[in-house]
């Protein structure tokens, strides 16, 4: 029996031995890195460096154990084999014996707890032009908005198309880089590079379910994907059990589990998307026009489903829509956006019963209603939404404003925050008439 380090000393001097030692360590470190990272459950472990070091050091210790002389000629091969076995052993102990998947159980959230706090959020897109492709301006998609969402609460974000509602959602999710402002989730700053534990807590339901579902995957695989990637559940029996439970939550049947997306109606596809969003037991769900592509009867079903899920589990919703009837049905508070800015925010009852900002009044007056006696369009907001590249000076709504309090100052002065009543604010140049 001969010690490997004696064998290496006989071949190399001390300096070369140190280099070989460090080389073996880093080879083992990166080998452990790839083996441990190959398990989807590694995303659930915030600090993984200690796992790499444990497996690397255990491999280095192999040098100080005696081996029969016949094995020394294949020292490098045996070392790599030991390193691979050690890495797999560390991965097995960390993810199977210590049971990472216990963190994936669904739970009911404490209501009234602050989830999301957005302060002075700005998202500007550079405008490139000219012969040398330089920046010649900016598109102010979102220009200094602030709001909060608590658990068990729904904030409706409404406004005309192109006012920046979806950009707000994408910036919260880290899919669009914010120019300025703070986004905090549970009093922790959100950076563009999302950690997996935060990605698990914030989910989104997009407008078009057809674009959100992979046509090559069955429903089971679609819903199970976040369970595997974010919750670390790999056992097929456990996955099918979880998927079936989620499908029951959204009123889908067992036989739907092994079908493809094209075999479902629009409403059923949206239920699948919602089930996938619920798979990680999120705390905040962003709903970006979740009912606009659905029939009216199906819209009511999806809205009632969302309300029931919120009642049972206490989720917080950011409900983005231009459908005022839908937001009246589901939202607790409403924020009205115009050209990248919030112009009015308040409780749902305050917004619908006492709209104060001229744009909010115009928006409510222009909504369509079924009236067999009077089929004429009651109100149309005059003009078009200005370009965010060259917005009007002063109040951006002043070219379309028909308010009695509109003055010449509206064309030059910036709107300021005006309190109407408790938790009800508008951003306007002139206070409203009492």
């Amino acid at each position: 029996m001969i010690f490997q380090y004696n064998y290496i000393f006989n071949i190399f001097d001390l300096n070369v031995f140190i280099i070989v030692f460090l080389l073996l360590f880093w080879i083992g470190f990166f080998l452990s890195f790839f083996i441990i990272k190959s398990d989807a459950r590694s995303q659930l472990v915030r600090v993984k460096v200690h796992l790499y070091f444990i497996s690397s050091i255990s491999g280095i210790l192999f040098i100080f154990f005696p081996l029969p002389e016949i094995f020394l000629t294949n020292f490098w091969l045996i070392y790599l084999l030991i390193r691979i076995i050690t890495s797999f052993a560390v991965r097995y102990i960390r993810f199977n014996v210590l049971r990472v998947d216990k963190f994936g159980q669904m739970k009911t959230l404490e209501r009234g707890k602050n989830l999301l706090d957005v302060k002075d959020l700005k998202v500007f897109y550079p405008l490139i032009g000219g012969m040398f492709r330089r920046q010649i301006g900016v598109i102010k998609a979102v220009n200094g908005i602030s709001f909060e969402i608590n658990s068990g609460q729904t904030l409706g974000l409404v406004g005309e198309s192109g006012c920046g509602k979806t950009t707000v959602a994408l910036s919260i999710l880290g899919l669009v880089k914010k120019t300025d402002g703070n986004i905090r989730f549970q009093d922790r700053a959100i950076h563009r590079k999302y950690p997996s534990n935060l990605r698990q807590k914030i989910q989104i339901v997009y407008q078009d379910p057809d674009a959100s579902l992979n046509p090559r995957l069955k429903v089971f695989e679609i819903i199970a994907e976040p369970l595997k990637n974010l919750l670390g559940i790999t056992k097929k029996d456990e996955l099918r059990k979880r998927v079936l439970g989620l499908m029951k939550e959204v009123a889908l049947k067992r036989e739907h589990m092994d079908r493809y997306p094209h075999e479902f109606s629009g409403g059923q596809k949206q239920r699948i998307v919602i089930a996938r969003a619920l798979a990680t037991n999120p705390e905040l769900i962003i709903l970006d026009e979740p009912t606009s592509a659905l029939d009216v009867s199906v819209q009511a079903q999806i809205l009632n489903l969302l309300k029931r899920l919120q009642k049972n589990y206490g989720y917080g919703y950011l409900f983005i829509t231009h459908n005022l009837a839908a937001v009246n049905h589901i939202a607790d508070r409403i924020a009205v956006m115009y050209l990248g800015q919030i112009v009015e925010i308040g409780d749902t009852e305050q917004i619908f019963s006492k709209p104060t900002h001229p744009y909010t009044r115009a928006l409510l007056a222009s909504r369509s209603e079924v009236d067999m006696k009077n089929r004429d369009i009651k109100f149309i907001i005059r003009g078009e939404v200005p370009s965010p590249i060259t917005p009007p000076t002063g109040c951006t709504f002043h070219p379309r404003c028909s308010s009695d309090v509109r003055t010449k100052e509206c064309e030059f002065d910036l709107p300021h925050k005006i309190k109407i009543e408790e938790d009800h604010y508008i951003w306007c140049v002139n206070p409203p008439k009492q």
Side-chain angles (χ1 to χ4, degrees):
M1 303 289 285
I2 301 176
F3 290 97
Q4 292 93 294
Y5 66 85
N6 285 333
Y7 174 75
I8 297 174
F9 262 131
N10 291 333
I11 301 175
F12 306 112
D13 58 22
L14 179 61
N15 293 331
V16 177
F17 174 78
I18 294 174
I19 295 174
V20 172
F21 183 87
L22 293 174
L23 182 63
L24 289 175
F25 176 83
W26 286 112
I27 289 175
F29 183 89
F30 286 109
L31 192 63
S32 304
F33 173 82
F34 288 111
I35 291 175
I36 293 173
K37 287 282 286 186
S38 65
D39 195 309
R41 291 170 293 181
S42 66
Q43 300 180 73
L44 301 177
V45 181
R46 294 187 182 182
V47 182
K48 294 182 281 292
V49 177
H50 65 281
L51 299 180
Y52 309 144
F53 272 104
I54 289 173
S55 54
S56 299
I57 292 172
S58 60
I60 290 295
L61 292 177
F62 160 74
I63 298 176
F64 299 94
F65 282 90
L67 282 180
E69 187 175 358
I70 191 173
F71 290 120
L72 295 179
T73 55
N74 298 314
F75 168 77
W76 300 103
L77 183 62
I78 295 174
Y79 173 75
L80 290 176
L81 184 62
I82 293 294
R83 290 298 303 109
I84 292 172
I85 294 173
T86 305
S87 298
F88 276 107
V90 171
R91 190 180 80 170
Y92 178 83
I93 293 172
R94 180 63 185 91
F95 300 140
N96 292 81
V97 177
L98 300 183
R99 302 294 294 170
V100 172
D101 60 350
K102 68 181 180 180
F103 299 108
Q105 303 296 330
M106 294 187 72
K107 60 183 180 180
T108 302
L109 304 178
E110 178 185 350
R111 296 182 181 276
K113 179 182 177 182
N114 183 264
L115 290 179
L116 184 69
D117 189 6
V118 177
K119 295 292 185 186
D120 198 27
L121 175 64
K122 296 180 181 179
V123 180
F124 296 166
Y125 297 117
L127 188 63
I128 307 298
M131 181 182 299
F132 299 102
R133 307 299 297 168
R134 295 180 177 177
Q135 181 175 333
I136 58 176
V138 293
I139 300 174
K140 298 180 180 180
V142 179
N143 191 12
I145 70 169
S146 303
F147 60 85
E148 296 180 355
I149 300 177
N150 297 329
S151 57
Q153 181 190 68
T154 301
L155 174 68
L157 195 60
V158 301
E160 293 172 285
S161 298
C163 69
K165 303 187 298 296
T166 299
T167 303
V168 173
L170 296 178
S171 62
I172 293 172
L173 290 165
L175 302 178
V176 168
K177 184 179 180 180
K178 62 182 175 67
T179 305
D180 197 6
N182 295 314
I183 305 175
R184 303 184 69 84
F185 182 79
Q186 293 181 341
D187 206 30
R188 289 175 54 198
I190 295 180
H191 303 287
R192 190 179 181 188
K193 187 176 180 181
Y194 260 48
S196 61
N197 64 313
L198 187 58
R199 182 70 67 192
Q200 171 188 337
K201 295 179 180 180
I202 304 178
Q203 292 290 307
I204 184 170
V205 175
Y206 287 104
Q207 176 179 355
D208 185 6
D210 288 309
S212 305
L213 300 174
N214 190 333
R216 297 185 177 183
L217 298 182
K218 295 181 178 180
V219 171
F220 166 73
E221 297 170 308
I222 290 171
I223 301 177
E225 192 171 15
L227 293 172
K228 291 187 289 186
N229 293 339
L230 294 177
L231 298 189
I233 303 173
T234 55
K235 296 180 181 178
K236 192 168 184 179
D237 291 341
E238 180 68 14
L239 283 172
R240 292 190 73 89
K241 179 182 175 182
R242 292 287 189 94
V243 170
L244 182 59
L246 289 165
M247 292 178 67
K248 288 181 178 179
E249 286 285 351
V250 297
L252 291 174
K253 299 179 182 178
R254 179 188 293 269
E255 55 264 29
H256 295 152
M257 190 182 294
D258 295 311
R259 295 181 185 175
Y260 290 94
H262 71 269
E263 300 178 66
F264 295 92
S265 66
Q268 289 174 319
K269 291 177 186 177
Q270 198 64 292
R271 291 174 187 270
I272 295 170
V273 175
I274 294 172
R276 182 178 59 186
L278 298 178
T280 61
N281 191 25
E283 299 183 14
L284 175 67
I285 302 178
I286 298 174
L287 304 161
D288 188 6
E289 302 271 10
T291 59
S292 62
L294 307 176
D295 295 334
V296 176
S297 59
V298 181
Q299 288 183 20
Q301 295 173 13
I302 296 298
L303 291 175
N304 289 332
L305 168 64
L306 293 170
K307 290 186 71 174
R308 177 174 61 80
L309 291 170
Q310 187 180 58
K311 181 180 179 180
N312 292 341
Y313 297 106
Y315 300 132
Y317 291 154
L318 175 59
F319 191 85
I320 298 172
T321 185
H322 58 263
N323 188 338
L324 295 174
V327 79
N328 186 29
H329 180 72
I330 194 172
D332 300 300
R333 288 179 60 77
I334 296 176
V336 182
M337 280 192 71
Y338 182 79
L339 208 64
Q341 297 175 318
I342 290 179
V343 296
E344 185 164 0
I345 188 169
D347 295 339
T348 302
E349 184 178 351
Q350 293 171 335
I351 298 296
F352 277 89
S353 63
K354 193 179 179 181
T356 307
H357 193 278
Y359 177 65
T360 308
R361 292 179 177 177
L363 205 62
L364 292 173
S366 61
R367 59 179 170 171
S368 58
E369 296 179 349
V370 178
D371 188 352
M372 297 304 295
K373 295 182 179 180
N374 184 8
R375 301 188 183 184
D376 295 332
I377 299 176
K378 297 180 180 180
F379 184 85
I380 298 177
I381 305 177
R382 66 180 186 181
E384 296 292 335
V385 179
S387 170
I389 300 174
T390 55
T393 58
C395 174
T396 55
F397 186 63
H398 84 260
R400 309 173 70 191
C401 183
S402 59
S403 173
D404 295 337
V405 297
R406 183 179 182 275
T407 61
K408 196 68 175 177
E409 286 75 17
C410 297
E411 300 178 14
F412 307 102
D413 296 343
L414 294 175
H416 57 275
K417 190 175 183 180
I418 301 174
K419 183 176 180 180
I420 305 302
E421 54 186 316
E422 190 66 28
D423 294 328
H424 185 191
Y425 300 91
I426 66 169
W427 280 258
C428 195
V429 174
N430 301 310
K433 292 181 178 179
Q434 300 297 330

